[in-house]
Amino acid sequence: MFPRPVEKSTATVRYSYQAFLPVALILWLLPLLAIFLTSIRSAADINSGNVFGWPSEFALIENYSAVFTQSAAAQYMWNSVLITVPTVMISVALACLAGYALAIYKFRVALPLFFLFVAGNFIPFQILMVPVRDMSVQTGLYDTIAGQFLFHAAFQTGFCTLFMRNFIKALPFDLIESARIEGIAEWKIFWYVILPLVRPAIAALAVLIFTFVWNDFFWANVLTQGESAKPITAGVRALNGQFVNNWHLVSAASLLAAIPPVACFFLMQRHFISGLTMGAVK
Amino acid sequence: MTHAAVPDTTASARPSWVKRNKLAIAPWIFLIPALIFFAIYVVIPIFQSLWLSLYEWNGLYSADGESTATWVGFQNYAKLWDDPNFWTSLRNNLAWLILFMLAVPLGLFIALFLNQTVPGMRFYKSMFFFPFVISQVVVGLIFGWFYNPDFGVVGTLWKAVFCEETTNILGNVTFTCSRPAPDILSSPEWATYGIIAAGLWPQIAYCMILYLTGLNNVAADQIEAARLDGAKGWKMLWYVVVPQLKPATFIAIVVTVIGALRSFDMIAIMTQGGPFGSTNVLSHYMYEVAISEYGERYGYGSSVATVLFGIMLIFISYFLWQMYQDEKGGR
């Protein structure tokens, strides 16, 4: 193990390491802690410049409920759910199929097609912006929930396919070989042999795509204009304009927007990290 | 083609064409839904954008459904060449690329710091990773407030150091400062760096988690062997550990380059490209040009997007080439 484990060092080193850890964590999360403290302060505190001190009164419930009663935050949150959930289902399903095809079958264009999905995943959004926006306007998908989840699902299929293909490629090929010798149909091999084995990959992708799409801001701006289809990220910006200098409300709204992905991360931490660090080890 | 032949179940009748070619047909059946979807929303729009960059178009259609775009050839690119905002954006993109790379060594540094097994370590690791999970919009808002010279963290710290609190006769508190607090996001020289610093926060967390995973898989026997040979500290890190972390470093560089060139959210939230366009990057400038209150300029916007795409393509080709080398070696 590198660096040398502190257990093997002297007691002084060990204790100072353990004492320093929380200090380092507080420094690292200082911006977040500060904004959390702001979100539970009253307006009076903010105006008198009490940023670091102990809040003169706690306004946690007042501030957070004010966000919901004074703005369309609830609608934005619900829109985000309606956009992210179908995106996750469509992109992961398509990627299971495509990843299986690219990993198992040996045909000439398998690698170029795989690279197409990988490359598509890295391109700047701006190169898609005008045509996708124009297409959405033409087909009546502009400013709708469906217009957003269809695009996200298509775009995220690139990353999901990259992930699935590598995951399936790492499974023992003998499994498929012997199923074929048994005379099992190809789709049955996919359904009964492969799908049960890729469950961890599905879980990892589901949490990752949920987080990516929930946090999307660019497409929310390009593909929506009104309140009816705006997700929470774009909504928070609208609130920022609405609550000018009401920093306690802006910070409460920001933290609310962050809750679902954060909850998702803490509940499915293992899958989240295994998905994100795919390829970081050989 | 190493697959076993499909056994003939009916020895008398020749199997149908579909049966005989099922290993050639099957992959396409599995691929078609993803391919169609991906083509419609990703592949075809790329070419449409490249094509549109040679037109001037406000996004409107005439009554008979014809697009009102007019062909201008390379005029959009010529205009780009003389557009100072474009060059500012390009320069800022370069600043993002270079400074964002700091996330890689800093992420490694934090990973090394956290690669211990004291009680509660799991908690610390996930809390250090925390900034990556929250949306960049939220990070942008947090830092926008953090930098605020009046009531943000920077302003408050500044007051504590450089200002004296005085109470006037009426009992109102005023501050007299030896130097005014810096308004980072309103300063054309400093705003970009302020945003990059904010962007580094989640990016360092991402690189850290990649390195933590990598460090978990460093061969313990090699470390021990090197230790017996007297290697330690920087030498051990540089000659023994870092070479083994190569896959993690590769991914960290890939995601950092992509992250730097994709930076949009933070800029849109913190400065909207201002003051005076000084914090624009190509991705934000493109959006500003294409969809702005002064009418839509899809053609010009597409030419900005094409330049950004060209820059990205250099990196993408390199990444794909690396992956191709791995694929060849892996089998």
Side-chain angles (χ1 to χ4, degrees), chain B residues 15-60:
Chain B
S16 70
W17 183 85
V18 173
K19 268 233 169 87
R20 270 182 287 128
N21 292 291
K22 77 173 184 181
L23 286 186
I25 302 165
W28 293 104
I29 311 260
F30 285 112
L31 266 171
I32 271 172
L35 271 185
I36 290 178
F37 221 30
F38 203 66
I40 291 176
Y41 271 113
V42 181
V43 182
I44 297 170
I46 293 176
F47 293 100
Q48 285 175 320
S49 273
L50 299 181
W51 188 237
L52 255 177
S53 73
L54 306 176
Y55 282 86
E56 199 172 289
W57 188 31
N58 56 8
L60 298 179

Side-chain angles (χ1 to χ4, degrees), chain A residues 17-72:
Chain A
Y17 177 77
Q18 272 171 318
F20 183 61
L21 264 180
V23 178
L25 181 64
I26 289 172
L27 283 176
W28 179 242
L29 294 181
L30 186 67
L32 202 63
L33 290 175
I35 203 149
F36 175 72
L37 275 179
T38 307
S39 80
I40 59 171
R41 281 178 200 285
S42 61
D45 259 12
I46 307 278
N47 294 334
S48 67
N50 180 5
V51 177
F52 280 124
W54 195 249
S56 60
E57 53 179 326
F58 288 95
L60 177 100
I61 296 161
E62 288 94 319
N63 288 349
Y64 282 83
S65 55
V67 170
F68 283 110
T69 51
Q70 292 177 20
S71 74

Side-chain angles (χ1 to χ4, degrees), chain B residues 11 20 62 104 109 155 162 167 169 217 230 287-288 300 318:
Chain B
R20 270 182 287 128
S62 58
V104 178
F109 177 76
F162 292 104
T167 314
I169 328 163
N217 291 276
Y287 177 82
E288 202 180 275
Y300 195 50
Y318 172 69

